[in-house]
Amino acid sequence: KAGVTQTPRYLIKTRGQQVTLSCSPISGHRSVSWYQQTPGQGLQFLFEYFSETQRNKGNFPGRFSGRQFSNSRSEMNVSTLELGDSALYLCASSRFTPTLGSYEQYFGPGTRLTVT
Amino acid sequence: DQQVKQNSPSLSVQEGRISILNCDYTNSMFDYFLWYKKYPAEGPTFLISISSIKDKNEDGRFTVFLNKSAKHLSLHIVPSQPGDSAVYFCAASRSARQLTFGSGTQLTVLP
């Protein structure tokens, strides 16, 4: 079974530009979450989508946005890039089985974004 | 306010011995807890999870223990292998939604 895939793996942008990152979840998983990892702040939650609807949003400015398509694939967009947006952006898909008391979240390899 | 804390930034263990990684949380609403292993510049690899209705869950060499009254969980790896050397993150979730991560513990397994 294929894991979570993210494209591109690496990206270099300049300040003021915008960027779109893509994520394909594990087949059958309907929930997709995005996280930002930086050395100073660790892993921080950006937002979560389920059935094309944003269910949760972390404490990030409105420049960070996302969407989910009917096939569960998701994109996140960052507009007006700042130097501080340089980070590893991680996508995760989830499997929740409440009857078994089981919750698992699987991460993709990430997109390394560098803003110059 | 750090809701999930891993107070040990690093841990060294001899190969074959037990590794015990600890995690504390403050939010009593968390009901799912997950452990991940991470290498630099890669996504976290899911290891094992536990629901708040349980106090123990095992998967092969990995066992997670949950003490709800102390708001404490631990990951035991037995026996430890050099390939286990990585950063380990604990994470907590409320109602199977977003994860809140700890700051990680670097585990080094010495041959």
Side-chain angles (χ1 to χ4, degrees):
Chain A
K1 197 173 190 183
V4 179
T5 59
Q6 292 187 245
T7 56
R9 292 293 312 277
Y10 304 93
L11 208 48
I12 299 175
K13 292 284 189 178
T14 56
R15 277 181 299 175
Q17 287 187 313
Q18 74 165 14
V19 66
T20 299
L21 312 181
S22 182
C23 170
S24 291
I26 293 171
S27 177
H29 288 191
R30 294 164 63 191
S31 168
V32 173
S33 299
W34 288 88
Y35 295 83
Q36 181 197 63
Q37 185 182 26
T38 58
Q41 299 296 320
L43 277 151
Q44 292 191 293
F45 171 76
L46 279 156
F47 28 66
E48 182 211 4
Y49 287 87
F50 182 85
S51 294
E52 302 178 65
T53 301
Q54 188 181 90
R55 252 193 339 191
N56 279 302
K57 191 176 193 306
N59 190 24
F60 279 82
R63 300 184 297 106
F64 292 82
S65 63
R67 59 178 176 168
Q68 187 181 33
F69 302 96
S70 57
N71 62 358
S72 294
R73 192 177 68 84
S74 178
E75 289 180 347
M76 69 163 280
N77 184 277
V78 188
S79 62
T80 319
L81 284 165
E82 301 177 359
L83 294 179
D85 297 333
S86 295
L88 181 66
Y89 290 88
L90 293 157
C91 169
S93 72
S94 305
R95 178 171 66 189
F96 179 42
T97 313
T99 52
L100 298 177
S102 170
Y103 177 56
E104 299 163 358
Q105 194 167 112
Y106 298 89
F107 284 81
T111 295
R112 169 68 64 183
L113 172 65
T114 302
V115 182
T116 62
Chain B
D1 174 33
Q2 222 180 340
Q3 297 189 67
V4 179
K5 298 179 185 177
Q6 293 177 259
N7 292 318
S8 298
S10 63
L11 173 70
S12 290
V13 170
Q14 209 67 36
E15 181 179 4
R17 306 295 290 269
I18 183 171
S19 294
I20 301 177
L21 298 131
N22 294 303
C23 181
D24 297 295
Y25 62 96
T26 57
N27 189 340
S28 58
M29 301 300 290
F30 287 141
D31 53 4
Y32 288 93
F33 303 89
L34 296 78
W35 282 95
Y36 289 88
K37 172 181 175 180
K38 191 177 186 303
Y39 295 112
E42 292 184 10
T45 299
F46 171 77
L47 292 173
I48 190 168
S49 64
I50 188 168
S51 159
S52 60
I53 62 173
K54 300 179 181 177
D55 53 20
K56 178 182 174 182
N57 191 25
E58 335 185 31
D59 185 0
R61 296 187 299 117
F62 301 96
T63 303
V64 56
F65 295 92
L66 175 62
N67 183 333
K68 286 191 297 292
S69 60
K71 294 191 179 67
H72 177 84
L73 64 153
S74 59
L75 175 68
H76 292 209
I77 306 174
V78 183
S80 301
Q81 301 171 353
D84 295 330
S85 297
V87 177
Y88 287 77
F89 289 93
C90 70
S93 170
R94 178 181 172 182
S95 303
R97 299 291 178 91
Q98 69 204 62
L99 295 179
T100 299
F101 282 86
S103 54
T105 297
Q106 171 71 57
L107 173 66
T108 303
V109 180
L110 305 167

